[in-house]
């Protein structure tokens, strides 16, 4: 038996739609930090593919902390036009954790050993587990504000609220400073998004951060 839930419509600013054509194929390695000290790695890969007859971005984000004590691999299949999701699955320490399927406004969440849960959104949503690449696909500009509704398998419906607060250089590349609020407590995470090409260059928060670099050879896939 399927459990059914309706995600109610809420009053929210105009939606900012990502432009998937801004992304490009390739992979990147990031060092995860806590209070400035390395604690792990994130490997990210973007590849063009076809799902049925639909051009998609096939994306893997694989994160490992503490020499493997925590290992999370997220896999996304998104429409190449606007990054709206078709499916997403996540593995923790090599074991299936959750699978999410999107069919228009209908969303299905499956977890091993649990009843499948179905949701219905009131409009377009993006996957709430993919941050930097989603932000890189927005038409960022100085002083710009953006709202991107998302669905996240633990949190349900939410929204990314972004504000471009300035520019800086990251390893010789010009980047936007983008402060992102996910709703609820007013706390923000700062993303550094490359201007040309648009790409995720790093993140900053009071405790944790992420920057380009490190050794991702143990995480990289063919």
């Amino acid at each position: 038996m399927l459990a059914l839930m309706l995600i109610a419509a809420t009053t929210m600013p105009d939606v900012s739609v990502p432009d998937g054509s801004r992304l490009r194929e390739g992979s990147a390695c990031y060092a995860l930090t806590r209070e400035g000290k390395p604690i792990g790695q994130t490997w990210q890969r973007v590849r063009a593919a076809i799902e049925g007859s639909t051009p998609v971005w096939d994306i893997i984000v694989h994160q490992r902390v503490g020499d493997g004590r925590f290992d999370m691999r997220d896999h996304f299949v998104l429409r190449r036009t606007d990054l709206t999701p078709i499916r997403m699955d996540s593995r923790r320490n090599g074991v299936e954790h959750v699978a999410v399927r999107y069919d228009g406004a209908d969303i299905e969440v499956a977890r091993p050993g649990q009843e499948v849960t179905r949701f219905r959104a009131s409009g377009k949503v993006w996957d709430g587990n993919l941050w930097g690449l989603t932000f890189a696909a927005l038409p960022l500009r100085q002083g710009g504000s953006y709202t991107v509704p998302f669905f996240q398998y633990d949190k349900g419906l939410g929204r990314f609220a972004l504000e471009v607060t300035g520019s800086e250089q990251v390893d010789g590349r010009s980047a936007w400073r983008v402060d992102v609020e996910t709703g609820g407590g007013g706390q923000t995470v700062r993303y550094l998004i490359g201007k040309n090409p648009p790409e995720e260059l790093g993140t900053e928060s009071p405790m944790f951060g992420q920057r380009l670099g490190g050794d991702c050879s143990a995480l990289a896939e063919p």
Side-chain angles (χ1 to χ4, degrees), residues 7 51 74-79 84-92 96-112 116-120 125-130 150-156:
I7 303 176
E51 183 87 357
D74 288 346
H75 176 220
F76 307 86
V77 176
L78 316 173
R79 291 174 182 84
T84 49
I86 296 173
R87 53 189 172 89
M88 175 268 186
D89 59 82
S90 181
R91 300 178 70 84
R92 300 286 177 89
E96 182 183 354
H97 179 65
V98 67
V100 185
R101 300 291 180 267
Y102 297 86
D103 182 11
D106 295 320
I107 305 168
E108 182 179 283
V109 179
R111 302 174 190 266
V116 172
T117 305
R118 297 190 67 189
F119 300 80
R120 175 162 291 175
V125 293
W126 284 260
D127 194 285
N129 281 80
L130 188 69
F150 67 75
F151 176 82
Q152 201 276 336
Y153 55 77
D154 282 329
K155 298 177 182 179

Side-chain angles (χ1 to χ4, degrees), residues 23 44 129-137 191 193 199-200 203:
L23 302 187
Q44 180 174 276
N129 281 80
L130 188 69
W131 292 44
L133 289 171
T134 302
F135 307 153
Y191 271 74
I193 303 295
E199 58 184 331
E200 180 182 349
T203 61

Side-chain angles (χ1 to χ4, degrees), residues 3 59 63-64 96 101-102 124 154 166 177:
I59 297 170
Q63 185 178 97
R64 183 173 291 171
E96 182 183 354
R101 300 291 180 267
Y102 297 86
K124 278 188 177 182
D154 282 329
R177 290 198 305 269

Side-chain angles (χ1 to χ4, degrees), residues 4-17:
L4 295 175
M5 296 186 182
L6 177 67
I7 303 176
T10 58
T11 301
M12 127 179 350
D14 291 340
V15 171
S16 305
V17 178

Side-chain angles (χ1 to χ4, degrees), residues 37-221:
K37 298 179 181 180
I39 61 170
Q41 304 82 34
T42 300
W43 180 75
Q44 180 174 276
R45 189 216 67 198
V46 180
R47 184 170 64 193
I50 299 293
E51 183 87 357
S53 59
T54 303
V56 299
W57 289 120
D58 186 295
I59 297 170
I60 294 173
V61 180
H62 195 164
Q63 185 178 97
R64 183 173 291 171
V65 177
D67 295 325
R69 289 192 296 272
F70 175 79
D71 187 296
M72 179 176 70
R73 180 189 184 276
D74 288 346
H75 176 220
F76 307 86
V77 176
L78 316 173
R79 291 174 182 84
R80 216 182 302 169
T81 51
D82 60 4
L83 303 190
T84 49
I86 296 173
R87 53 189 172 89
M88 175 268 186
D89 59 82
S90 181
R91 300 178 70 84
R92 300 286 177 89
N93 297 323
V95 178
E96 182 183 354
H97 179 65
V98 67
V100 185
R101 300 291 180 267
Y102 297 86
D103 182 11
D106 295 320
I107 305 168
E108 182 179 283
V109 179
R111 302 174 190 266
Q114 297 186 28
E115 184 178 85
V116 172
T117 305
R118 297 190 67 189
F119 300 80
R120 175 162 291 175
S122 59
K124 278 188 177 182
V125 293
W126 284 260
D127 194 285
N129 281 80
L130 188 69
W131 292 44
L133 289 171
T134 302
F135 307 153
L138 292 170
L140 302 177
R141 58 178 175 78
Q142 177 61 40
S145 297
Y146 309 85
T147 298
V148 181
F150 67 75
F151 176 82
Q152 201 276 336
Y153 55 77
D154 282 329
K155 298 177 182 179
L157 185 69
R159 68 183 181 94
F160 296 123
L162 300 82
E163 183 177 356
V164 179
T165 59
S167 300
E168 63 181 79
Q169 292 292 308
V170 180
D171 295 332
R173 291 180 245 186
S174 184
W176 295 115
R177 290 198 305 269
V178 184
D179 289 345
V180 183
E181 180 185 346
T182 60
Q187 297 179 334
T188 61
V189 177
R190 174 161 291 173
Y191 271 74
L192 302 173
I193 303 295
K195 295 182 180 181
N196 187 23
E199 58 184 331
E200 180 182 349
L201 299 181
T203 61
E204 301 171 356
S205 70
M207 285 290 289
F208 297 96
Q210 182 167 275
R211 55 180 171 77
L212 279 172
D215 181 4
C216 290
S217 57
L219 302 179
E221 302 178 25

